[in-house]
Amino acid sequence: MAGAPHVHPTTTPPPLPGARPLLDPAAEYGRWITERPLDRITLWGDLHPWLVTRHADARAVLSDPRFSSENIRPGFPGLQPTPPPRTPGQLFAMDPPDHTRLRRMLIPEFTFRRAEQLRPAIRQITGDLLDSLVKQGQPADLVEHFTLPLPLLVICELLGVPYADRDFIHHQASAFATVSAGPEAMRAGWAALFGYLQELLAAKSREPGDDLMSRLATERVATGEATPAEAAGLLVQLLIAGHETTASMLSLGVVALLRHPGQLAALRADEALVPGAVEELLRYLTVVHIGLRRIATEDVEIGGVTIRAGEGVVIALQAANRDPALFAGPDALDLTRDARQHLAFGHGLHHCLGQSLARAELQIALPMLFDRLPDLRLADPAPEELAFEGRAVHGVRELPVTW
């Protein structure tokens, strides 16, 4: 209740679920959203942050400046039991004014207009990958030949990163995203990409091209608006987030559509359904499934509960996106649904900078895939065993298909 005294729970609250089905959130979220929509959970044995599951409460927390993203604050409900070392340019772990200063540098590169300008290039990349997929023959791993290289190619082109280094990039990005590997492996993945991009940034400052990294080097670093380390940190995040999430959305989107043939048939019959269908897939799948993490800097009332200063909050996006108060029959995939209020890209100050680009990739790639391969089917009808384990972004390691 609002204004209740600050007490520690007398019984140990439950942990966050450690696993989830391939296409749905963990079953616990469906119960929590109706039975205990804002309650405590246990992290690392002795940390008891609040879990937010309702859509309205999630939006309230994510838009309230009294909740901080700085993961070095004592009591922050981080992905690991010990706070990570602070690295320059980590937007996801920053508050204003530094967050505002650095994010503002990237906004012109990720506008809706810029994403629309990139659509012809995305179509060309998609078509070339499909040509290569068909040529190499079946069965084929759709992750290896389509859903991973597509967003990685796009983000490499946008940033000015050599696609020839894709294996190194994806390996290090995967290490950083694999929470279960432990903090040292995660830090090593980030550090490897950080060093790699520092070198590229220095080279771009000497010989700039027509790409985002060159513009950062010549227009931001050279003018003193950002340090080289801050710019490299920004680029690491863009490189990781720019392909990991979209690749997983493409893979799981294919599985979801193949398992809902009526929905797929409707999508193929009506091109006008595509933008709304992508929003529904984003809501339904919610691949960023570890919860957004915040800590209160002062007492805040959310959903009738007072969250005290210094208490952590975990926002369960996958629960909020299945909230029956906003989405009727939330566990059903309905491509005709108006799902635009989903929180798959977050909300508020830290909403995903690349959401227009991700939408463009999904809106182009999925229809082109099913148009080119109308008889596409899973070679393994039960790919659940191919799902990532302990990853911050849900998805599959591989996806064998035939056509």
Side-chain angles (χ1 to χ4, degrees):
M1 295 178 62
H6 176 39
V7 293
H8 288 287
T10 55
T11 58
T12 302
L16 273 177
R20 61 173 279 186
L22 191 62
L23 302 182
D24 296 301
E28 291 91 331
Y29 289 114
R31 295 192 297 272
W32 288 345
I33 202 167
T34 55
E35 298 172 7
R36 46 188 298 265
L38 209 162
D39 207 345
R40 292 188 186 271
I41 55 170
T42 296
L43 289 181
W44 320 123
D46 57 355
L47 193 63
H48 303 295
W50 296 93
L51 178 70
V52 174
T53 55
R54 285 185 300 213
H55 187 277
D57 294 342
R59 280 177 59 97
V61 171
L62 293 172
S63 60
D64 194 317
R66 294 172 293 180
F67 288 99
S68 171
S69 297
E70 292 187 337
N71 58 7
I72 58 173
R73 289 177 179 262
F76 189 91
L79 299 181
Q80 301 290 347
T82 55
R86 189 64 175 263
T87 304
Q90 285 188 330
L91 279 181
F92 63 86
M94 282 183 169
D95 294 336
D98 282 341
H99 175 271
T100 308
R101 173 178 62 87
L102 293 175
R103 184 181 173 102
R104 190 178 290 139
M105 297 177 189
L106 301 176
I107 288 175
E109 305 283 350
F110 290 97
T111 61
F112 174 78
R113 180 180 178 185
R114 177 65 174 137
E116 292 300 293
Q117 292 171 343
L118 290 170
R119 280 180 179 264
I122 296 170
R123 288 191 186 94
Q124 181 65 52
I125 290 170
T126 302
D128 291 345
L129 287 172
L130 288 172
D131 288 344
S132 178
L133 175 67
V134 170
K135 183 177 180 180
Q136 75 93 38
Q138 55 182 310
D141 176 9
L142 201 65
V143 171
E144 178 183 356
H145 296 286
F146 186 70
T147 65
L148 178 59
L150 193 158
L152 191 50
L153 266 165
V154 171
I155 198 64
C156 283
E157 288 283 336
L158 182 64
L159 298 185
V161 172
Y163 184 65
D165 295 337
R166 60 191 177 276
D167 289 340
F168 166 80
I169 292 166
H170 182 59
H171 176 76
Q172 303 303 337
S174 297
F176 175 70
T178 304
V179 179
S180 62
E184 293 306 319
M186 293 179 70
R187 291 169 191 160
W190 179 278
L193 286 176
F194 187 78
Y196 166 77
L197 287 164
Q198 278 186 307
E199 292 181 8
L200 277 181
L201 190 69
K204 294 284 186 180
S205 67
R206 296 188 295 269
E207 296 184 32
D210 183 17
D211 52 65
L212 187 155
M213 195 184 315
S214 294
R215 287 187 285 276
L216 270 182
T218 59
E219 298 173 15
R220 306 298 185 179
V221 175
T223 61
E225 292 181 64
T227 67
E230 286 175 331
L234 293 174
L235 291 164
V236 174
Q237 290 168 90
L238 294 174
L239 191 55
I240 294 173
H243 82 275
E244 285 276 331
T245 51
T246 306
S248 289
M249 270 301 305
L250 284 169
S251 300
L252 294 185
V254 168
V255 176
L257 290 169
L258 290 175
R259 289 187 172 175
H260 296 81
Q263 297 287 308
L264 175 57
L267 181 64
R268 296 187 62 200
D270 185 0
E271 187 178 340
L273 278 181
V274 170
V278 166
E279 301 307 312
E280 171 67 350
L281 285 167
L282 286 162
R283 178 201 73 84
Y284 182 75
L285 295 168
T286 312
V287 297
V288 179
H289 68 132
I290 54 169
L292 300 184
R293 314 295 176 99
R294 301 287 188 270
I295 189 167
T297 58
E298 57 185 89
D299 294 359
V300 188
E301 184 179 326
I302 298 291
V305 174
T306 296
I307 298 175
R308 303 294 188 186
E311 293 182 339
V313 179
V314 176
I315 304 102
L317 299 181
Q318 65 272 54
N321 282 342
R322 299 282 186 105
D323 187 344
L326 184 64
F327 303 108
D331 294 329
L333 179 67
D334 179 3
L335 301 187
T336 65
R337 182 200 306 274
D338 182 356
R340 287 175 293 178
Q341 293 190 65
H342 70 77
L343 300 176
F345 292 119
H347 181 68
L349 197 65
H350 288 269
H351 73 274
C352 176
L353 194 62
Q355 60 183 286
S356 292
L357 179 62
R359 284 186 169 103
E361 293 178 65
L362 293 166
Q363 290 170 8
I364 291 168
L366 287 170
M368 285 185 67
L369 172 65
F370 285 107
D371 283 348
R372 181 68 182 273
L373 303 174
D375 296 321
L376 185 73
R377 58 194 179 276
L378 301 177
D380 181 348
E384 274 73 8
E385 66 272 15
L386 302 176
F388 293 133
E389 294 183 6
R391 288 283 293 272
V393 178
H394 186 54
V396 288
R397 301 185 304 277
E398 56 187 89
L399 191 64
V401 295
T402 60
W403 56 86

